[in-house]
Amino acid sequence: TGMEIEERVARGEVHIQPRVPMDELPVEERLSTFEEVVAGYTDEQAQEEAARCLACGVCSECLSCVYACQADAINHEMVEQVRDIEVGAVLLAPGFEAYDAEESGEYGWGRYPNVVTSLQFERLLSAAGPTQGHVQRPSDGETPRRIAFIQCVGSRDQKHDYCSSVCCMYATKEAILSIEHEPETEITVFMMDMRAFSKGYEEYYRRARERYGIRYVRCRISAVKEDPRSHDLVLHYVTEGRQLREETFDLVVLSVGMEIPERARELGRRVGVELDEYGFCRTSPFAPLETTRPGVFALGPFREPKDIPESVVEASGAAGLAGALLAPARWTRTEAEPDVPERDVTGEEPRIGVFVCHCGSNIAGFLDVPGVAEYAASLPGVVHAEDNLYTCSQDTVRHITQTTKELGLNRVVVASCTPLTHESLFQDAIRQAGLNPNLFEMANIRNQCSWVHPDDWDGATEKARDLVRMAVAKAAQLRPLTKTEVQVQKAALVVGGGPAGMNGALVLSRQGFPVHLVEREDRLGGNLLRLYHSLQEATGVGARMWLDPRAYARELVAKVEADPLITVHLKTELLSTSGFMGNFVSRLRGPEGEFEVRHGAAIIATGGVEYRGPEYGYGSDPRILTQQEFERVLATWKTGELGEGAGADRSTSLPDSVVMIQCVGPAERYCSRICCTTALKNALMLKRHKPDAQITVIYRDIRTFGFKERIYSEARRAGVLFVHYDFDRKPEVRVAAGGSSASGDHLEVSVWEESLGQELVLEPDLVVLSMPVVPSEGAHELAARLKLPVDLDGFFLEAHVKLRPVDFSSDGFFLAGMAHYPKFLGEAIAQAQAAAARAATILSRDVLEVGGVVAQVDPEKCVGCLTCVRICPYHIPQIRADLAGAGGIQGAAYIEPAQCHGCGVCAGECPARAIQLLHYRDVQMEAKIAALLEQ
């Protein structure tokens, strides 16, 4: 403030005297004065000023933030505006906030400097963080050698009856990163259960233990104590063997859970949707993205704690549901971008413009950005070079467009971050200036330079110059690339008639697209027909009719069969698919023979099946069942189909004792996600009808993530017993002689109980095995026919776990449901709706542009050696007999531009050098390499 400045002038700290108090000056003059003031600050004074500004509850208009903001994003003259907009649907995605660790005072956060939250620790691990990625103790800046993670802080406690779902895996990730930064670091994770329940998570957890040596201890830490002299942290805990231990750690990380912030709760109340007692939005298991208000959809952690891939899936799913509502209005409010005629640069000498980005301090903090820009101006063909604070900002992107026009640039180079995320943005900028988008080149001086050489200013600067010189050399050789248009077949193919396939078909049909729904069996329904009870029924919560899975199955099948845009093909299988995105031809075989359908996109929803292997004696005794079989036993008893006479005591038909064994067979490799919850659901159903039944669950980890934690709590309250076993000491099941059964023998289950230090021997009436979900029969064969990738467990593999979780790497194909990975019904429905939304982005267009950066064959050089045919991961090249090859031989390779992914493998492997990857031609890459070798 003006008064503070005057005081500092009086003390001689600042050598400027404002004419009037700062808050009375015009904005421009006030900012100029402030710049002069802070120019005289010492580092300590600057930190003082920053702390004062952050602590200010009401803005004092000192303009400190305006001066500090490098992007000029703050405008103190902006006033609040209220606008009314008309919409046809609302998507609620307000997210979550991390639990305030100060509420758990026993852990010392806020009092002990070396206790940090997981988010703070994540920041310490970041190369752009306060310590440049080097983990340091806040108390003394030393590198911690022993780090403890405490799980379930703000989750699974008396105030939070849910699991936050993400904490176990982000703690494992942070632990691995810590060891990769400092290999000598010893890390211990204190947990109740390790909830590695998603695709690839179990293997990640196993690698953390076996490769990185991370120690996992099963216990709940009650308190953290500090040594006031060293600021080391002391933890007391009890081992599984009931031994009291004390350990000292340099740093403690609190894995905080998810909460809904008050502003998100207020949003829900304003919109008029129902929230639960914690502020999460209520939705139905059979309509997981629909709120209690029609037309309003909820997604992400606002609905239930979840990880990034599930949030991305739900975002697409909600968009699909909104698209179904808005389909009649499609394109009615679309504003087309002005068509900028492309300038013909053929024959022009290269006029290259170079724009070098500071990226805040991400790049400029580690190398001389202005110096790199000055160097770029001296390179051959460069007529303009400059440095920008944030090249990707809207203002700078517009500036690039304007500069390209004004200076007549015919090539543009941007030196900044990765082209993976920003190349299309800059290509669009030069397109608006009339240049072909492919007359653009990028130098990655962030990922490949500043981030990997943070301690070598001169070396990083020199390398940035090398990268820019290489990019300029290639840019001079660039040629415009053209694309062609192909018509889109406005129909979809959905393979699989289970709940995922049917929901995907319905979302597409409601958007106005015809759908061919293919099912191998003689009826629709899939695994939905094998469900008899919902989780809500097992816990006694919710309306029975709405939450009856079989009633939902009948309703869903009826909707599909009554939809005029959905053609159902029962007892039919897919034989082959040819073509490319937007224009496929699939050959099907049904009861009446083979036939073809044309479609623009395809959804694979072939589901999964319950594993039925021989582990634990399954198949050798009728008293050893799977969970699916046991659920049917409970259902048939409930409906009176067991044949009891009128008035009989029906409870005698149910077993008095049951042992359930988790993680059977393939579930030792991967978590099947649904098994724990299914087991507890069936256990509670038995307890509801026979409260005295003795039920023991033998488990490795109970993975009831999210709100499913409540069914775990309910099972414990109902008297279900839980016995933990280690992977190296699995339980044993045998049929022993003697007993009261009709066969004269009985079942015995033995398991080592760590707490008691002895083996337990149980004699149940039934042994129920929690068999995992495995890929459905024929899924592997279908993958081979369609050339779609699968993972090591046989499930279809998505293109990217976070960025494209429902897309295949082959364009135009999408996946949903258990074909992707085991999942609950609600999750399968949401993913099907997401796949339909992604397919609609293709089907809603009239034409698609194909070509661009693709491989191109010169037939006159091709010798027909089949190398490209064999090596292409997408199986695109083919030998065409109508093309003349080298020396006039019959047949040469052809690559369909609409199908080519531009990976360049064929170009690199072709022995005759007959294939060129456009935009990466030999002459362009050779120029780039020659520039690298220049002195």
Side-chain angles (χ1 to χ4, degrees):
T1 64
M3 183 176 297
E4 289 171 324
I5 291 175
E6 289 174 359
E7 290 175 356
R8 291 179 179 177
V9 168
R11 293 196 299 267
E13 297 172 353
V14 176
H15 305 287
I16 179 172
Q17 177 65 47
R19 295 187 301 276
V20 294
M22 286 281 281
D23 54 4
E24 296 180 15
L25 289 173
V27 171
E28 294 80 3
E29 191 173 343
R30 199 186 318 167
L31 180 57
S32 175
T33 303
F34 183 78
E35 290 178 7
E36 296 179 52
V37 170
V38 298
Y41 277 6
T42 65
D43 287 345
E44 185 177 349
Q45 290 169 336
Q47 291 175 7
E48 244 177 61
E49 180 69 14
R52 184 199 64 78
C53 188
L54 290 172
C56 182
V58 179
C59 184
S60 60
E61 295 293 332
C62 68
L63 297 186
S64 305
C65 55
V66 175
Y67 178 71
C69 181
Q70 299 181 16
D72 295 327
I74 300 175
N75 181 1
H76 273 245
E77 297 182 335
M78 184 180 291
V79 296
E80 180 183 16
Q81 294 181 340
V82 178
R83 294 184 296 161
D84 291 330
I85 57 174
E86 294 181 351
V87 298
V90 175
L91 276 62
L92 299 179
F96 70 97
E97 67 180 3
Y99 170 72
D100 183 1
E102 198 168 14
E103 295 292 324
S104 298
E106 65 271 21
Y107 297 131
W109 186 84
R111 293 184 289 117
Y112 305 151
N114 294 327
V115 176
V116 299
T117 68
S118 49
L119 283 177
Q120 291 173 319
F121 191 68
E122 180 95 12
R123 187 64 179 155
L124 288 176
L125 290 167
S126 172
T131 57
Q132 285 77 50
H134 301 290
V135 178
Q136 297 176 2
R137 294 201 335 160
S139 66
D140 52 19
E142 294 296 319
T143 300
R145 293 303 176 190
R146 303 194 76 225
I147 301 175
F149 283 79
I150 299 178
Q151 301 305 104
C152 300
V153 179
S155 298
R156 303 181 68 186
D157 58 22
Q158 293 182 350
K159 294 183 179 178
H160 307 83
D161 68 352
Y162 57 86
C163 165
S164 289
S165 297
V166 301
C167 317
C168 286
M169 294 314 298
Y170 74 55
T172 299
K173 177 198 72 174
E174 291 178 353
I176 288 177
L177 290 175
S178 300
I179 294 174
E180 288 179 342
H181 280 244
E182 296 289 343
E184 301 303 318
T185 306
E186 297 178 14
I187 295 183
T188 303
V189 179
F190 294 95
M191 63 173 189
M192 293 191 288
D193 296 284
M194 172 48 60
R195 295 198 160 160
F197 54 81
S198 280
K199 195 171 188 176
Y201 285 8
E202 177 67 24
E203 176 59 30
Y204 193 72
Y205 168 46
R206 185 179 294 113
R207 190 161 71 247
R209 287 180 290 128
E210 297 174 359
R211 178 178 173 183
Y212 291 90
I214 298 170
R215 182 169 61 117
Y216 290 85
V217 178
R218 294 180 184 276
C219 70
R220 182 101 187 194
I221 299 294
S222 59
V224 176
K225 303 298 181 183
E226 183 194 53
D227 182 334
R229 291 168 298 181
S230 65
H231 294 294
D232 291 343
L233 302 160
V234 181
L235 275 62
H236 293 87
Y237 65 94
V238 177
T239 67
E240 288 186 82
R242 294 300 183 188
Q243 294 179 332
L244 183 63
R245 291 270 180 88
E246 176 185 301
E247 289 193 51
T248 302
F249 294 91
D250 302 322
L251 189 70
V252 168
V253 182
L254 305 180
S255 294
V256 291
M258 293 185 182
E259 288 186 326
I260 297 297
E262 181 55 39
R263 60 187 180 275
R265 302 185 192 203
E266 179 58 30
L267 171 65
R269 289 189 286 265
R270 287 203 309 269
V271 175
V273 298
E274 186 179 345
L275 308 176
D276 69 7
E277 62 270 32
Y278 299 100
F280 294 97
C281 188
R282 291 190 189 276
T283 61
S284 165
F286 302 151
L289 305 180
E290 300 178 29
T291 68
T292 52
R293 183 175 182 182
V296 179
F297 307 99
L299 57 127
F302 183 49
R303 203 176 66 77
E304 183 178 355
K306 55 177 56 68
D307 208 345
I308 293 173
E310 286 81 16
S311 297
V312 175
V313 166
E314 290 189 357
S316 290
L321 294 175
L325 284 180
L326 305 180
R330 183 180 288 123
W331 305 123
T332 59
R333 296 194 178 186
T334 302
E335 295 182 6
E337 291 185 358
D339 187 18
V340 180
E342 187 173 304
R343 198 171 104 230
D344 184 5
V345 299
T346 305
E348 293 184 8
E349 289 296 317
R351 292 181 57 81
I352 304 171
V354 180
F355 300 85
V356 187
C357 183
H358 288 248
C359 198
S361 61
N362 265 314
I363 298 175
F366 307 99
L367 58 91
D368 182 7
V369 170
V372 172
E374 183 180 354
Y375 170 76
S378 67
L379 295 174
V382 175
V383 298
H384 175 78
E386 64 177 74
D387 58 288
N388 315 106
L389 186 59
Y390 290 102
T391 309
C392 61
S393 68
Q394 293 181 2
D395 290 343
T396 308
V397 169
R398 284 194 294 267
H399 171 69
I400 291 174
T401 302
Q402 192 64 30
T403 302
T404 303
K405 289 180 180 178
E406 292 175 354
L407 300 182
L409 304 179
N410 54 26
R411 309 284 194 285
V412 171
V413 172
V414 170
S416 60
C417 55
T418 169
L420 182 67
T421 57
H422 286 73
E423 184 177 48
S424 59
L425 175 70
F426 299 125
Q427 286 180 327
D428 188 63
I430 68 170
R431 183 190 61 78
Q432 294 181 33
L435 279 186
N436 185 284
N438 294 100
L439 296 174
F440 172 80
E441 182 65 12
M442 222 169 158
N444 188 347
I445 63 171
R446 185 191 69 178
N447 303 46
Q448 298 175 0
C449 193
S450 67
W451 278 4
V452 292
H453 306 292
D455 300 322
D456 185 1
W457 176 276
D458 293 336
T461 301
E462 187 62 32
K463 184 176 180 180
R465 290 173 178 165
D466 292 342
L467 292 171
V468 170
R469 184 174 68 251
M470 294 165 65
V472 168
K474 180 186 174 185
Q477 300 292 331
L478 292 178
R479 305 179 191 175
L481 300 182
T482 59
K483 293 186 177 183
T484 57
E485 293 183 345
V486 295
Q487 294 292 320
V488 173
Q489 295 286 339
K490 291 181 173 290
L493 176 72
V494 178
V495 183
M502 288 190 287
N503 273 283
L506 284 170
V507 171
L508 285 171
S509 71
R510 288 167 185 165
Q511 296 200 38
F513 303 119
V515 180
H516 294 276
L517 181 58
V518 177
E519 170 56 47
R520 294 183 64 178
E521 304 297 329
D522 58 359
R523 61 174 179 169
L524 298 174
N527 282 309
L528 190 55
L529 302 177
R530 299 178 179 89
L531 290 180
Y532 294 89
H533 311 111
S534 66
L535 299 181
Q536 290 71 23
E537 183 180 358
T539 56
V541 179
R544 298 291 182 271
M545 291 303 295
W546 172 241
L547 297 176
D548 179 359
R550 298 183 71 77
Y552 171 70
R554 291 190 294 270
E555 177 187 354
L556 188 61
V557 171
K559 287 181 180 179
V560 169
E561 292 178 342
D563 195 310
L565 289 178
I566 300 177
T567 303
V568 178
H569 304 279
L570 297 177
K571 300 174 69 175
T572 302
E573 60 179 327
L574 176 62
L575 298 180
S576 63
T577 297
S578 60
F580 46 86
M581 180 177 68
N583 202 332
F584 293 110
V585 178
S586 289
R587 190 158 192 80
L588 308 176
R589 182 170 59 210
E592 298 179 0
E594 296 185 6
F595 59 99
E596 290 183 348
V597 296
R598 295 183 175 274
H599 54 98
I603 296 176
I604 307 301
T606 50
V609 296
E610 187 181 50
Y611 175 69
R612 299 289 175 89
E615 288 83 355
Y616 299 109
Y618 178 75
S620 65
D621 192 291
R623 294 168 295 179
I624 303 175
L625 308 175
T626 69
Q627 289 290 354
Q628 200 171 82
E629 292 169 339
F630 185 53
E631 182 166 344
R632 188 174 185 280
V633 168
L634 294 171
T636 51
W637 172 87
K638 179 183 174 183
T639 56
E641 296 175 8
L642 293 182
E644 296 95 344
D649 180 7
R650 298 176 65 230
S651 65
T652 59
S653 306
L654 295 175
D656 292 317
S657 61
V658 174
V659 168
M660 297 180 175
I661 301 178
Q662 305 302 107
C663 300
V664 180
E668 295 176 359
R669 299 194 311 270
Y670 64 89
C671 175
S672 192
R673 195 176 176 97
I674 67 172
C675 306
C676 289
T677 305
T678 300
L680 300 187
K681 177 189 74 171
N682 288 339
L684 283 175
M685 287 301 299
L686 176 57
K687 279 286 188 180
R688 285 188 62 196
H689 300 301
K690 195 165 188 175
D692 295 334
Q694 182 179 346
I695 305 173
T696 304
V697 178
I698 303 177
Y699 72 98
R700 285 169 56 196
D701 287 285
I702 295 295
R703 292 177 176 173
T704 48
F705 55 92
F707 293 160
K708 298 162 194 69
E709 177 69 15
R710 295 164 181 167
I711 198 171
Y712 184 24
S713 301
E714 184 65 26
R716 296 198 306 274
R717 280 192 292 266
V720 178
L721 303 178
F722 293 86
V723 177
H724 175 259
Y725 76 92
D726 288 324
F727 183 79
D728 296 330
R729 303 188 74 168
K730 294 187 290 185
E732 296 181 0
V733 178
R734 54 186 172 271
V735 179
S740 59
S741 66
S743 60
D745 50 30
H746 64 280
L747 295 174
E748 280 188 0
V749 180
S750 59
V751 59
W752 178 261
E753 216 296 321
E754 182 68 26
S755 299
L756 299 177
Q758 66 182 39
E759 188 174 69
L760 295 181
V761 179
L762 307 171
E763 297 183 2
D765 296 332
L766 291 180
V767 171
V768 182
L769 305 178
S770 290
M771 298 290 200
V773 175
V774 294
S776 62
E777 182 184 355
H780 185 76
E781 182 181 354
L782 179 65
R785 289 176 181 175
L786 299 180
K787 302 179 179 64
L788 299 175
V790 295
D791 64 15
L792 295 177
D793 299 310
F795 294 102
F796 285 104
L797 188 63
E798 67 277 16
H800 190 283
V801 65
K802 294 179 180 178
L803 302 180
R804 300 172 65 196
V806 297
D807 295 44
F808 281 104
S809 55
S810 298
D811 293 336
F813 288 91
F814 308 94
L815 73 163
M818 287 191 176
H820 167 244
Y821 196 68
K823 48 181 56 69
F824 290 94
L825 176 59
E827 295 169 337
I829 293 171
Q831 192 177 28
Q833 293 164 342
R838 298 289 297 132
T841 62
I842 299 171
L843 303 181
S844 59
R845 307 181 199 177
D846 293 327
V847 296
L848 290 176
E849 288 188 334
V850 299
V853 181
V854 296
Q856 191 176 74
V857 180
D858 182 353
E860 295 182 358
K861 295 181 179 179
C862 179
V863 296
C865 65
L866 300 179
T867 299
C868 58
V869 176
R870 297 189 183 102
I871 201 69
C872 177
Y874 305 100
H875 308 281
I876 306 304
Q878 54 181 295
I879 302 297
R880 282 182 35 176
D882 59 330
L883 297 176
I889 63 172
Q890 190 68 23
Y894 173 75
I895 298 174
E896 171 58 54
Q899 294 178 280
C900 180
H901 288 245
C903 67
V905 173
C906 57
E909 292 290 337
C910 180
R913 302 186 70 177
I915 304 176
Q916 293 285 299
L917 180 63
L918 305 186
H919 197 68
Y920 298 91
R921 299 173 188 268
D922 290 350
V923 64
Q924 295 163 350
M925 300 310 296
E926 288 166 359
K928 195 170 186 177
I929 294 169
L932 170 64
L933 300 178
E934 288 179 8
Q935 296 299 318

